[in-house]
Amino acid sequence: MLDQVRIILVGTTHSGNIGSAARAMKTMGLKHLYLVDPQVEIDGKSIALAAGAADVLKNVVICDTLEQAISDCGLVVGTSARSRTHSWPMLEPRECGEKIMQEAPKYPVALVFGREAHGLSNEELQMCHFHVCIPANPEYSSLNLAAAVQTLCYETRVAWLNLEKHPEAETEYPLSDQLELFYQHLETTLRETGFIIPQHPGVVMTKLRRLFNRARPETTELNILRGILTSVQRSSQEQGAKQDAAPDDEPQK
């Protein structure tokens, strides 16, 4: 199941951090490293700091966008500080490892780490089902990227070692790209019905994304939701066709 876990680094700016992250992964039995829009190349410093994990660097996958990196993932967890403005579903590191191991048998799962200076963007965080926050010392909470990778990879390994003690019932969840198609379908439908006004879109879709990510619909539930949206669109189109076909009022004599 550890083979189903991928570590994704977004916009990395220091080559040494790539190597250190690879070392952190290999010590915990993980080997799939993805780089999204890296600002540096893997170089001698990366290999030196990988310290025996050069095979992880050799097989690294480079993507232009986070959307590409997670398109086939059924669970995506992004590292983030706790936000007071947007209450996204949060996990503690131990919960994160357990959640990853619960779902790894079904599909690839991803742990996403942001840029060294300012983490993940709001748009990238919205692509994640959950956020995880490492409860560091509030007086000195600046955690090195590789240290964060090491911490969450360790929790993932601990959960893997304890998995037989905590069997879980199987539940099928949609992959990330399927969820994105649902959000597109939802926004299109809401625009067609006039619920979302193009001139004033506001934060409706952001709040709806947060709602559905928190609810975590299963695959069958998502299919039902998309069926409802299709029914609403069909009804709206039929109503519009009837109005177009209705005869005009007869002219006065």
Side-chain angles (χ1 to χ4, degrees), residues 1-2 5 7 28 30 93-94 96-101 104 109 111 149-163:
M1 285 181 290
L2 292 177
V5 182
I7 301 299
M28 295 298 131
L30 305 179
R94 184 60 48 89
C96 178
E98 293 170 353
K99 174 65 70 174
I100 286 173
M101 282 297 101
V109 298
L111 263 172
V149 172
Q150 184 76 81
T151 299
L152 295 180
C153 286
Y154 167 76
E155 294 295 352
T156 300
R157 184 170 183 82
V158 168
W160 174 65
L161 293 172
N162 292 330
L163 189 63

Side-chain angles (χ1 to χ4, degrees), residues 188-244:
T188 298
T189 304
L190 294 180
R191 288 182 182 277
E192 289 177 356
T193 59
F195 187 84
I196 293 180
I197 302 174
Q199 293 81 1
H200 304 285
V203 293
V204 171
M205 285 308 301
T206 297
K207 290 183 178 296
L208 287 174
R209 277 176 173 267
R210 191 165 72 241
L211 168 65
F212 285 108
N213 276 326
R214 185 169 62 245
R216 195 82 197 286
E218 300 171 8
T219 297
T220 53
E221 294 170 335
L222 193 73
N223 290 338
I224 291 172
L225 290 170
R226 294 206 63 178
I228 292 172
L229 293 176
T230 299
S231 178
V232 170
Q233 287 180 310
R234 184 183 301 115
S235 178
S236 178
Q237 291 168 0
E238 290 175 353
Q239 186 65 30
K242 288 180 181 179
Q243 292 177 352
D244 293 338

Side-chain angles (χ1 to χ4, degrees), residues 160-193:
W160 174 65
L161 293 172
N162 292 330
L163 189 63
E164 291 186 359
K165 301 177 184 178
H166 304 89
E168 294 289 334
E170 291 189 5
T171 303
E172 183 180 352
Y173 290 103
L175 300 182
S176 180
D177 58 348
Q178 294 172 321
L179 204 54
E180 284 300 317
L181 288 174
F182 164 69
Y183 288 134
Q184 293 172 19
H185 193 175
L186 177 60
E187 183 172 2
T188 298
T189 304
L190 294 180
R191 288 182 182 277
E192 289 177 356
T193 59

Side-chain angles (χ1 to χ4, degrees), residues 240-252:
K242 288 180 181 179
Q243 292 177 352
D244 293 338
D248 295 333
D249 294 336
E250 293 184 3
Q252 295 182 353

Side-chain angles (χ1 to χ4, degrees), residues 89-152:
M90 295 292 300
L91 296 173
E92 297 295 335
R94 184 60 48 89
E95 294 176 312
C96 178
E98 293 170 353
K99 174 65 70 174
I100 286 173
M101 282 297 101
Q102 287 169 9
E103 302 194 23
K106 308 165 194 173
Y107 32 60
V109 298
L111 263 172
V112 186
F113 298 82
R115 302 157 187 83
E116 293 94 332
H118 48 84
L120 296 169
S121 68
N122 288 334
E123 182 181 18
E124 290 161 346
L125 285 169
Q126 289 178 19
M127 297 182 190
C128 304
H129 299 105
F130 295 91
H131 296 173
V132 59
C133 177
I134 299 174
N137 177 8
E139 297 180 2
Y140 187 70
S141 59
S142 178
L143 197 62
N144 176 268
L145 174 60
V149 172
Q150 184 76 81
T151 299
L152 295 180

